[in-house]
Amino acid sequence: MAGPIVVPPPPPPGGPQATQKTSDAIGNLRPTKLFKLSAPTTYATSLSFDDSGEFLLAACSDESLQLYNAKEGRALKSLFSKKYGAHLARFTHHSQSIIYASTKTDDTIRYLSTHDNQFLRYFKGHTAPVTSLALCPASDTFISGSLDNTVRLWSLSSPSPQGKLNLATPTLATYDPSATVIAIASPSTSSILLYDLRNYDKPPFATFDLRALDSLPAIMASPLAAGAGAPKDWTKLEFSNDGKSLIVGTNNTLGHLLLDAFSGELKALLVRPPQYLPLNPSSLRATPWPPSSSAVGTAAGQGDVCFSADGRYVVGGSGGDRDAAVWDVQGQVDEETKTLAPLCSLPCKSRVGVVEWNPRYNMVATADREVVFWLPEEGTGVKPP
């Protein structure tokens, strides 16, 4: 005889919904929870969801790490790293352990248990600030890029790097979703290098030279294309979850670059909402390295743009002091200028300095001087860009 049917409890009121098409929810995302930071001058510099989507981690410019329960919409605890600073904090595949980059004393990467606030390991080797940290999707390994012109490969089980690449300004590095490819962005050479993870000590199997984008009229006036201050313009490098696209987030006043992940061809220039153009560079968030080496902003960041979990949409900051923007990567691209306008705007009273999409739910977290949770709200309607 069959046992009783067990009906799972509904999600908490206002919590993320597990089953809803992203296309049905994307235009209805609205801020539902706002968490103030320690002081008006404190910024969140990075965001990270754990694999389950239940917890969110924010590194802040006051040298704290803020932990939130995303499903219940509440703050859990504050951890402090006053001696070493904290930036680019990332969950490992265990929801109670994290890695993060130091911002002072030295350039060590630290492995911390959030359960008892004890360090589990130190990863020493970088001799300049760490500018990117990415955990491998398939194992307990990670990569780090640094201003010391190296990319290092690590295992959580060993304090010594498993490998090292010496490159010119490899400030951004990430894995593809299959965990077989490493992409490394070198802003000073306007190139993106793709390495086979199994043969990372061999030359890259593909190099995307973005200097070719100079031929596009809409990009010619940008600092990125002209080369003026290019190392300061790239803020994010991320694959879509379907592995077909690669986004290069920038501090450029025009927007972000959407590339074909296989050929490096420019799919579109994701232009920011027109009402915020031209942008005041001081309103844009800084690059992932310290503000002393950045031309804009007052705190480091990790880029104000990210893919949705299905890879169809890109969510990012408007570039102004309020609102977010959504781009549909399957939308109509202007054939002459290769530009893609926002699908819609997402209203918010605060600036979107960093943004992260929940890997399990139709939920977005953004941050600047506060941390904001976004959930779909029925009947709100889509706000035009």
Side-chain angles (χ1 to χ4, degrees):
M1 181 175 179
I5 298 174
V6 178
V7 179
Q17 305 296 312
T19 55
Q20 188 179 25
K21 287 184 178 180
T22 304
S23 57
D24 295 336
I26 189 72
N28 297 322
L29 288 168
R30 295 294 185 270
T32 57
K33 284 282 187 177
L34 186 148
F35 301 93
K36 293 288 187 181
L37 299 179
S38 62
T41 56
T42 299
Y43 291 84
T45 63
S46 68
L47 295 173
S48 173
F49 281 103
D50 76 322
D51 288 350
S52 72
E54 183 173 356
F55 300 106
L56 177 76
L57 175 68
C60 300
S61 60
D62 64 353
E63 298 158 352
S64 72
L65 296 157
Q66 303 294 328
L67 190 62
Y68 304 91
N69 187 310
K71 288 185 69 175
E72 298 178 3
R74 61 187 179 93
L76 292 179
K77 64 169 67 175
S78 299
L79 305 172
F80 292 94
S81 183
K82 293 293 185 181
K83 183 177 180 180
Y84 306 109
H87 184 36
L88 300 173
R90 305 284 186 253
F91 277 106
T92 67
H93 294 302
H94 192 291
S95 61
Q96 290 189 329
S97 61
I98 65 173
I99 55 174
Y100 66 91
S102 306
T103 60
K104 61 182 186 179
T105 304
D106 58 25
D107 302 298
T108 297
I109 299 166
R110 302 181 190 277
Y111 182 20
L112 178 73
S113 167
T114 60
H115 171 68
D116 54 10
N117 199 25
Q118 296 294 313
F119 288 115
L120 304 175
R121 189 159 288 114
Y122 305 100
F123 303 99
K124 299 181 179 180
H126 284 301
T127 57
V130 172
T131 56
S132 64
L133 277 179
L135 195 75
C136 179
S139 67
D140 288 329
T141 58
F142 66 96
I143 53 176
S144 59
S146 168
L147 293 181
D148 64 7
N149 293 321
T150 68
V151 170
R152 297 172 190 254
L153 292 82
W154 310 84
S155 169
L156 290 175
S157 62
S158 172
S160 301
Q162 294 183 320
K164 183 176 76 170
L165 296 170
N166 295 294
L167 301 166
T169 63
T171 50
L172 302 172
T174 190
Y175 292 90
D176 83 321
S178 68
T180 60
V181 174
I182 300 173
I184 300 171
S186 170
S188 67
T189 62
S190 295
S191 61
I192 296 174
L193 312 175
L194 300 186
Y195 287 85
D196 183 339
L197 182 57
R198 297 162 297 185
N199 299 292
Y200 61 83
D201 55 337
K202 303 292 193 299
F205 66 84
T207 299
F208 302 154
D209 185 357
L210 302 194
R211 288 173 295 185
L213 301 183
D214 288 1
S215 61
L216 296 171
I219 302 177
M220 287 184 66
S222 74
L224 174 61
K232 301 181 180 68
D233 276 340
W234 291 5
T235 61
K236 185 74 172 280
L237 184 67
E238 182 182 0
F239 282 96
S240 59
N241 273 345
D242 58 11
K244 296 179 180 179
S245 301
L246 185 65
I247 194 166
V248 181
T250 83
N251 269 343
N252 190 287
T253 58
L254 288 176
H256 310 290
L257 302 176
L258 182 69
L259 307 178
D260 184 292
F262 298 99
S263 66
E265 178 184 356
L266 180 72
K267 287 185 172 182
L269 172 63
L270 309 184
V271 293
R272 300 181 192 272
Q275 64 267 34
Y276 295 106
L277 299 176
L279 298 179
N280 179 355
S282 65
S283 71
L284 292 176
R285 200 51 182 282
T287 43
W289 44 93
S292 60
S293 61
S294 175
V296 297
T298 57
Q302 66 173 23
D304 66 341
V305 66
C306 73
F307 279 107
S308 62
D310 63 358
R312 176 173 174 177
Y313 301 98
V314 172
V315 179
S318 66
D321 290 331
R322 57 185 298 130
D323 296 352
V326 176
W327 295 266
D328 183 352
V329 302
Q330 298 178 12
Q332 185 65 40
V333 177
D334 186 290
E335 294 184 3
E336 182 179 354
T337 62
K338 280 286 190 177
T339 56
L340 178 63
L343 171 70
C344 62
S345 290
L346 302 178
C348 182
K349 294 182 179 179
S350 56
R351 182 192 302 180
V352 174
V354 291
V355 58
E356 192 79 359
W357 191 282
N358 191 305
R360 298 295 180 187
Y361 302 98
N362 279 328
M363 175 188 183
V364 175
T366 62
D368 193 62
R369 295 185 183 183
E370 55 270 320
V371 175
V372 181
F373 289 174
W374 301 64
L375 292 172
E377 287 189 359
E378 296 296 335
T380 54
V382 176
K383 181 182 177 182

